[in-house]
């Protein structure tokens, strides 16, 4: 009976980690594609230029693949060391995520102020050599969210040292439309607009976060259950 239970958990954990590993491959693939085709896509921070969507996906995908691989081998080989390593790695990631979420809610106001200040510094890199990722990100955000600047379209005046904005701020896009009058530009601040959009989609974000947490808890449960079963089987055989 115990042997059958161990075999069942073994194959369930193997399938779970195989899917985990394949998910990591997909995330890594998207990250590499973005890095190759779009440069440092979605880089908005001047303080952390490497903190781009492409780099985040590459790092995340790599970690997920490593963890999934360790879990797969540990399950199929019934290796106590690998099972325990998988459990510890997944537990550390889960605790780090939980810590980040708690700190985010505790220091929301400070994060808001720092983020706005850092984004305004980043505007000065717009259109400069080696900052195609930041340039593309701002162009996409301002076009899709129909906004201009971080807190106001006048943020761009400090960048250009004149009364003008990027063409992506225009109500109707045309070449050099950013040189026209303010009446032809979007007036909404991008920071608040994106923040409101996130708040409106908070349920979807919450569901995604909850599903991610449940998957991690399921992986921790599988790993520890199988580890205990392997230890019991070794003890019984001894």
């Amino acid at each position: 009976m115990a042997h059958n239970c161990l075999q069942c958990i073994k194959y369930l954990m193997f399938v779970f980690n195989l899917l985990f590993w394949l998910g990591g491959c997909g995330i890594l693939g998207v990250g590499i594609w973005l890095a190759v085709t779009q440069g440092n896509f979605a880089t908005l921070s001047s303080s952390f230029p490497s903190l781009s969507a492409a780099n985040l996906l590459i790092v995340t995908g790599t970690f997920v693949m490593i963890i999934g691989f360790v879990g797969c081998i540990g399950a199929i080989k019934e290796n106590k060391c690998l099972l325990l390593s998988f459990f510890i790695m997944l537990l550390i990631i889960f605790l780090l995520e939980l810590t980040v979420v708690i700190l985010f809610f505790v220091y929301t106001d400070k994060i808001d102020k720092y983020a706005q200040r850092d984004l305004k510094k980043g505007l000065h890199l717009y259109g400069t050599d080696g900052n195609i990722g930041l340039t593309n990100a701002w162009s996409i955000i301002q076009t899709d969210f129909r906004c201009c600047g971080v807190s106001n379209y006048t943020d761009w005046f400090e960048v250009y040292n004149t009364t003008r904005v990027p063409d992506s701020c225009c109500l109707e896009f045309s070449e050099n439309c950013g040189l026209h009058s303010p009446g032809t530009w979007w007036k909404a601040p991008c920071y608040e607009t994106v923040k409101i959009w996130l708040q409106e989609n908070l349920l979807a974000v919450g569901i995604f976060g909850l599903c991610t947490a449940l998957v991690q808890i399921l992986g921790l449960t599988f790993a520890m259950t199988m580890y205990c079963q392997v230890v019991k089987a070794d003890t019984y055989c001894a």
Side-chain angles (χ1 to χ4, degrees):
M1 184 66 180
H3 178 72
N4 291 336
C5 181
L6 178 60
Q7 291 301 307
C8 181
I9 296 171
K10 171 182 175 178
Y11 290 114
L12 279 174
M13 186 174 174
F14 177 79
V15 171
F16 172 85
N17 282 287
L18 180 61
L19 294 173
F20 205 66
W21 182 80
L22 289 172
C25 290
I27 295 170
L28 178 62
V30 172
I32 292 173
W33 176 77
L34 280 176
V36 171
T37 61
Q38 302 293 326
N40 287 327
F41 177 74
T43 304
L44 293 174
S45 174
S46 59
S47 300
F48 304 98
S50 298
L51 194 64
S52 64
N55 289 343
L56 285 174
L57 288 173
I58 289 172
V59 172
T60 301
T62 302
F63 272 109
V64 170
M65 283 180 64
I66 292 171
I67 293 171
F69 178 77
V70 171
C72 279
I73 301 301
I76 207 69
K77 294 290 186 180
E78 298 180 18
N79 187 291
K80 290 183 291 185
C81 182
L82 290 177
L83 287 170
L84 192 58
S85 297
F86 171 80
F87 178 85
I88 291 171
M89 285 190 292
L90 199 56
L91 181 62
I92 290 172
I93 290 174
F94 180 76
L95 292 176
L96 284 174
E97 290 171 348
L98 188 62
T99 302
V100 169
V101 171
I102 292 171
L103 289 175
F104 177 80
F105 283 108
V106 171
Y107 296 103
T108 299
D109 292 338
K110 290 183 178 180
I111 292 172
D112 266 351
K113 291 177 182 177
Y114 175 81
Q116 290 186 63
R117 186 168 63 250
D118 192 54
L119 288 171
K120 286 180 181 179
K121 284 172 60 182
L123 293 182
H124 291 270
L125 301 176
Y126 183 88
T128 58
D129 293 338
N131 288 293
I132 186 173
L134 183 142
T135 302
N136 289 340
W138 269 113
S139 296
I140 291 169
I141 288 172
Q142 292 184 144
T143 301
D144 290 353
F145 286 93
R146 300 181 176 184
C147 60
C148 190
V150 178
S151 57
N152 195 288
Y153 64 84
T154 57
D155 292 337
W156 290 108
F157 296 175
E158 298 177 17
V159 176
Y160 292 110
N161 291 319
T162 185
T163 306
R164 71 160 296 182
V165 296
D167 294 343
S168 56
C169 280
C170 298
L171 298 174
E172 293 185 11
F173 179 82
S174 63
E175 191 173 352
N176 294 323
C177 61
L179 292 169
H180 300 165
S181 65
T184 63
W185 307 332
W186 299 114
K187 299 298 189 298
C190 287
Y191 188 84
E192 286 301 321
T193 302
V194 173
K195 189 176 176 181
I196 290 169
W197 179 83
L198 288 172
Q199 289 172 346
E200 290 175 347
N201 292 274
L202 196 59
L203 179 61
V205 175
I207 291 173
F208 175 78
L210 183 61
C211 289
T212 302
L214 288 174
V215 167
Q216 291 174 331
I217 291 170
L218 187 63
L220 290 169
T221 304
F222 273 144
M224 186 48 64
T225 303
M226 187 170 181
Y227 175 80
C228 293
Q229 290 291 335
V230 170
V231 170
K232 285 182 181 178
D234 288 348
T235 304
Y236 178 77
C237 291

